[in-house]
Amino acid sequence: MKNKTNFLPKEGEAHPSRCPDNSAFKQQRLPAWKPQLTIASVLSSFFLTGAFCLAVGVCLVLSANSVREIQVDYSDKCSDCSKLRENSSNWNKECHCSVNFTLKEDILGDVFMYYGLQNFYQNHRRYVMSRSDAQLLGRNINIQRSYCAPFSTYRNGTPMAPCGAIANSMFNDTIDLFYNRNSSVIEVPLLKTGNSWWTDKNVKFRNPESYNLSSAFAGTARPPYWQKPVYLLDEKDERNNGYVNDDFIIWMRVSAFATFRNLYRRVRRIRHFADGLPAGNYTFRISYNFPVTRFKGRKHVILSTVVWSGGSNPFLGIAYLVSGTAATLTGFVITGIHLKLRKKKTYFQKQ
């Protein structure tokens, strides 16, 4: 057993000091500013904050209300196709339906087409994790080590491209818009590219490097619910194929709520539609592929304009109005308490 006296300082040796250095930082002598809260400064901060939030809220609500929007639900109007899609064995059978609607007034400016889903929970933890970001960057990886299972490989070992539950459940309805002008039917020109974020298109999603896409995805297979391989998502535009397809990129950005909408197309402003969509009768021609009956979902198409604050969503404006009202009411409550206490103090001083 070691002698404890060996750890004690010997006679004549100085004891080590545990005091911090004599500096402004370690001795906590740095200059500091401590606000002096007075009734004037407190009340002014509450009222100014309330006025600012109320002003911003009013601007946001007015801006959201100025958005022109029309929403068409086609879940019931395409009931025959919906019944066909309930049986998964009919995946290779085409089904089309038409939905008519009328625009009573012109929709001027840039018009955006969205598809909306209701009661589709993309925020489930396992669903959100079921993807391989390395694969979406075009890297050659072993997807069996990813979170894509059970949508990673087939029984024969062929890997899926892209893998995961998110990609497998991609929205695949085809929606075309037609304008019924007098006795003629004019197809509304729609843009299918330029709808995704620049960072997604150029940073997060890339195709494997090869001299063509078919060879780049050689040795892989499409997900089970897809009708075509990933390199044929857009047969008319080779630059919009593979992992950089706009529809695919937008779908992979999952929603936080069960009811959501995703940008699908933009109206190309040429000829009859140079100023937007004129008033009149229109028809949606839909190739119905995406089943929603089993999870009691709904599908709809939205035509909408946008303003400086975004689309038709008054939530942010309402949030500012509520915050501004709460701050203003708090200021009045503090004012009332202050006046009451000051009056009471004056009374006791007179006594």
Side-chain angles (χ1 to χ4, degrees), residues 11 17 50 52 55 90 137 153 171 184 206 284 294 297 332 334 346:
E11 187 177 354
S17 176
F52 173 78
N90 297 326
L137 283 171
T153 59
F171 183 85
S184 60
R206 294 178 183 175
F284 281 126
R294 291 194 175 185
F332 281 116
I334 295 176
T346 304

Side-chain angles (χ1 to χ4, degrees), residues 160-180:
M160 299 180 189
C163 70
I166 307 176
N168 183 59
S169 60
M170 177 180 168
F171 183 85
N172 57 350
D173 283 1
T174 302
I175 306 171
D176 295 316
L177 180 60
F178 293 87
Y179 174 46
N180 304 316

Side-chain angles (χ1 to χ4, degrees), residues 107 109-113 177 188-192 195 263-270 272-278 282 303-304:
I107 300 182
D110 294 328
V111 182
F112 299 83
M113 180 189 292
L177 180 60
V188 180
L190 301 175
L191 298 172
K192 61 176 63 176
N195 300 324
L263 181 59
Y264 182 67
R265 297 289 184 266
R266 291 177 294 127
V267 175
R268 187 179 181 186
R269 298 176 62 177
I270 58 173
H272 303 287
F273 313 100
D275 297 326
L277 291 180
Y282 289 83
L303 294 174
S304 175

Side-chain angles (χ1 to χ4, degrees), residues 32-196:
W33 175 75
K34 184 178 181 180
Q36 299 295 329
L37 298 179
T38 62
I39 189 63
S41 62
V42 171
L43 289 179
S44 61
S45 62
F46 272 101
F47 285 122
L48 289 176
T49 303
F52 173 78
C53 291
L54 288 174
V56 174
V58 170
C59 293
L60 290 174
V61 170
L62 293 177
S63 177
N65 291 336
S66 66
V67 174
R68 295 293 311 281
E69 179 178 298
I70 180 172
Q71 180 172 314
V72 178
D73 191 316
Y74 65 95
S75 304
D76 297 330
K77 297 179 181 179
C78 298
S79 57
D80 293 337
C81 292
S82 178
K83 294 178 181 178
L84 180 69
R85 289 292 174 246
E86 288 182 9
N87 188 351
S88 59
S89 61
N90 297 326
W91 67 271
N92 58 344
K93 297 181 180 179
E94 295 185 358
C95 189
H96 302 271
C97 61
S98 298
V99 180
N100 300 320
F101 66 98
T102 301
L103 287 181
K104 297 181 180 180
E105 298 179 356
D106 297 344
I107 300 182
L108 302 177
D110 294 328
V111 182
F112 299 83
M113 180 189 292
Y114 301 83
Y115 64 84
L117 290 177
Q118 183 177 346
N119 207 36
F120 190 95
Y121 289 85
Q122 285 190 313
N123 56 0
H124 192 280
R125 186 181 67 87
R126 291 189 62 186
Y127 182 86
V128 173
M129 295 177 60
S130 184
R131 60 186 294 166
S132 174
D133 291 322
Q135 184 194 45
L136 298 177
L137 283 171
R139 299 173 184 173
N140 186 13
I141 61 167
N142 184 7
I143 61 174
Q144 291 182 347
R145 298 181 180 178
S146 65
Y147 294 100
C148 289
F151 302 102
S152 55
T153 59
Y154 286 93
R155 293 182 179 179
N156 60 0
T158 304
M160 299 180 189
C163 70
I166 307 176
N168 183 59
S169 60
M170 177 180 168
F171 183 85
N172 57 350
D173 283 1
T174 302
I175 306 171
D176 295 316
L177 180 60
F178 293 87
Y179 174 46
N180 304 316
R181 185 172 182 267
N182 299 329
S183 58
S184 60
V185 178
I186 304 173
E187 183 176 3
V188 180
L190 301 175
L191 298 172
K192 61 176 63 176
T193 57
N195 300 324
S196 59

Side-chain angles (χ1 to χ4, degrees), residues 181-220:
R181 185 172 182 267
N182 299 329
S183 58
S184 60
V185 178
I186 304 173
E187 183 176 3
V188 180
L190 301 175
L191 298 172
K192 61 176 63 176
T193 57
N195 300 324
S196 59
W197 296 349
W198 184 91
T199 53
D200 288 342
K201 193 83 171 181
N202 297 274
V203 178
K204 295 183 179 180
F205 294 84
R206 294 178 183 175
N207 286 324
E209 294 182 359
S210 183
Y211 61 93
N212 60 37
L213 279 182
S214 59
S215 62
F217 290 97
T220 63

